[in-house]
């Protein structure tokens, strides 16, 4: 069965999406032609085991990216972009339970959690879209106006996606498991439109406001990864599954490529945002490491017992003529006290020779 616009029949026939067990007119969902093997752990069947490992890896990578984002205290759009990664992490955590069928498809709560998952996907792409306009400074980033607009609008889109999905699963408000046009729009069409708008806005931002063109490479790799995820998941899932004898299917590569595209979003944001070091209070010690320009390449300026600070040495009396100055006594290593000295005499005293 081929791809059909506003219909899940052809999609669910090829790839095992979490919504597919709740759609169709048979009451048993739409089963794909080929899906990955199950494994049994403690008398519990785990579906899509390889895909679950990718979800776990996505959680780890998201935690790392959030840590680095939060460490850039003065970067533009820091608070806005971190919400996108929080929503993505929650979505990946929920996908572990849905893809693996830890929450059984026959359970009454499966439809509720699936609707939550669809709502999260809608809000994630909306949040990404709004973050695309933060760089244009229509509203000052980090202010309550910017943050609350993002949070409230993301919640509204989450509620919209949840209600459309739940009404489709339960056959309410003119929707049903066989009338999936609304669900198709919020789960598949809306995210694609958000990605297109986000990419166009970021290309315009880079070309008009930045001198560096390297961020365009991050955008390109992110777009290619997103396109590859869609093609492998919806176009070649059955062929992949048959070729590798049911060990993995298109869902595995789809989730993997989506993770890579999210990582490219972080890489792009990191490449276009610079931290104001004057107001930075991060843990990067090198930011505050001021080197003495008078020191030579082999000199060492170390604060320790019996030494004097660089600032104090600036006001110290100059060494007597012929005393060797900063170099110490003859034969002493550059920048260090001569052997036999007590270590309290900076500048070094003239040697007796």
């Amino acid at each position: 069965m081929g791809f059909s616009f506003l219909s899940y029949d052809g999609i669910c026939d090829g790839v095992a999406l979490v919504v597919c067990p709740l759609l169709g007119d048979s009451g048993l969902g739409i089963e794909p032609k080929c899906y990955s093997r199950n494994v049994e752990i403690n008398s519990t069947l785990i579906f899509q085991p390889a895909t679950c490992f990718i979800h776990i890896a996505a959680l780890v990578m998201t935690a790392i990216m959030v840590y680095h984002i939060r460490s850039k205290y003065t970067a533009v759009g820091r608070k806005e972009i971190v919400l996108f990664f929080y929503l993505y992490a929650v979505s990946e955590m929920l996908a572990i339970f849905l893809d693996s069928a830890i929450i059984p498809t026959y359970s009454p709560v499966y439809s509720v959690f699936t609707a939550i998952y669809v709502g999260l996907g809608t809000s994630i792409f909306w949040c990404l879209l709004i973050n695309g306009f933060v760089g244009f400074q229509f509203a000052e980033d980090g202010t309550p106006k910017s943050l609350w607009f993002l949070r409230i609008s993301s919640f509204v889109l989450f509620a919209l996606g949840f209600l459309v999905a739940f009404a489709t699963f339960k056959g309410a408000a003119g929707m049903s498991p066989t009338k999936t046009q609304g669900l198709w729009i919020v789960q598949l069409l809306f995210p694609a439109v958000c990605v297109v708008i986000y990419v166009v806005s970021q290309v315009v931002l880079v070309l008009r406001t930045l001198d560096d063109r390297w961020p365009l490479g991050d955008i390109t790799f992110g777009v290619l990864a997103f396109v590859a995820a869609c093609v492998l998941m919806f176009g070649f899932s059955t062929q992949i599954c048959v070729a590798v004898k049911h060990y993995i299917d298109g869902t595995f590569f789809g989730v993997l490529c989506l993770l890579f595209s999210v990582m490219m979003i972080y890489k792009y944001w990191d490449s276009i945002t610079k931290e104001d070091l004057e107001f930075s209070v991060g843990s990067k010690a090198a930011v505050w490491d001021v080197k003495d320009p008078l020191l030579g390449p082999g000199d060492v300026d170390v604060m320790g017992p019996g030494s004097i600070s660089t600032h104090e040495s600036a006001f110290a009396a100059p060494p007597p003529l012929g005393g060797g100055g900063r170099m110490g006594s003859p034969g002493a290593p550059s920048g260090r006290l001569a052997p036999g000295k007590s270590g309290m005499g900076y500048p070094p005293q003239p040697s007796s020779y």
Side-chain angles (χ1 to χ4, degrees), residues 10-273:
I11 295 175
C12 291
D13 191 56
V15 60
L17 298 180
V18 295
V19 299
C20 293
L22 301 170
L23 304 178
D25 54 359
S26 64
L28 300 176
I30 304 176
E31 183 178 348
K33 295 179 179 178
C34 183
Y35 49 86
S36 64
R37 301 186 183 196
N38 312 324
V39 296
E40 185 176 353
I41 301 177
N42 292 332
S43 301
T44 302
L45 285 177
I46 303 298
F47 291 77
Q48 301 282 357
T51 305
C52 290
F53 280 109
I54 302 300
H55 288 311
I56 295 173
L59 291 176
V60 175
M61 294 304 302
T62 304
I64 296 173
M65 291 185 287
V66 168
Y67 171 78
H68 286 287
I69 291 173
R70 291 178 61 88
S71 66
K72 298 183 68 171
Y73 293 91
T74 58
V76 175
R78 178 179 69 95
K79 295 182 180 180
E80 285 81 2
I81 195 66
V82 78
L83 178 61
F84 166 80
F85 289 98
Y86 283 149
L87 292 174
Y88 175 73
V90 175
S91 176
E92 288 298 296
M93 187 178 300
L94 187 58
I96 295 175
F97 295 94
L98 295 176
D99 278 335
S100 64
I102 294 177
I103 302 176
T105 56
Y106 58 82
S107 174
V109 300
Y110 182 85
S111 59
V112 177
F113 282 103
T114 304
I116 294 174
Y117 178 77
V118 173
L120 283 172
T122 306
S123 62
I124 286 171
F125 285 96
W126 172 258
C127 185
L128 178 66
L129 172 63
I130 298 302
N131 270 278
F133 293 96
V134 170
F136 293 95
Q137 294 292 293
F138 294 114
E140 187 69 22
D141 64 285
T143 60
K145 179 180 179 181
S146 175
L147 291 175
W148 281 108
F149 171 76
L150 178 62
R151 292 166 182 169
I152 294 175
S153 60
S154 297
F155 177 78
V156 171
L157 267 295
F158 164 78
L160 176 63
F162 171 82
L163 292 175
V164 170
F166 193 73
T168 301
F169 301 150
K170 297 300 180 180
M175 291 174 278
S176 69
T178 58
K179 298 179 180 179
T180 58
Q181 293 84 355
L183 180 63
W184 204 95
I185 291 174
V186 298
Q187 189 183 18
L188 301 177
L189 181 62
F190 179 76
V193 173
C194 290
V195 169
V196 171
I197 297 176
Y198 174 79
V199 170
V200 172
S201 66
Q202 297 316 288
V203 171
V204 172
L205 179 67
V206 172
L207 295 179
R208 292 186 58 183
T209 63
L210 299 181
D211 296 330
D212 188 8
R213 296 294 183 261
W214 283 107
L216 293 177
D218 300 328
I219 297 175
T220 302
F221 282 116
V223 171
L224 291 177
F226 181 79
V227 172
C230 296
V231 171
L232 293 175
M233 182 179 291
F234 300 122
F236 296 97
S237 180
T238 301
Q239 291 85 338
I240 294 172
C241 180
V242 173
V244 297
K245 299 180 180 180
H246 295 254
Y247 283 103
I248 56 176
D249 56 12
T251 306
F252 172 84
F253 291 102
V255 175
L256 181 62
C257 291
L258 283 178
L259 171 60
F260 185 77
S261 65
V262 171
M263 293 170 63
M264 286 296 101
I265 291 173
Y266 162 75
K267 182 66 175 62
Y268 164 73
W269 177 86
D270 184 66
S271 65
I272 66 172
T273 55

Side-chain angles (χ1 to χ4, degrees), residues 273-296:
T273 55
K274 302 298 181 182
E275 193 172 17
D276 190 349
L277 300 182
E278 181 180 357
F279 301 99
S280 175
V281 292
S283 59
K284 300 177 182 179
V287 172
W288 303 101
D289 187 12
V290 181
K291 302 296 183 182
D292 189 347
L294 299 179
L295 294 179

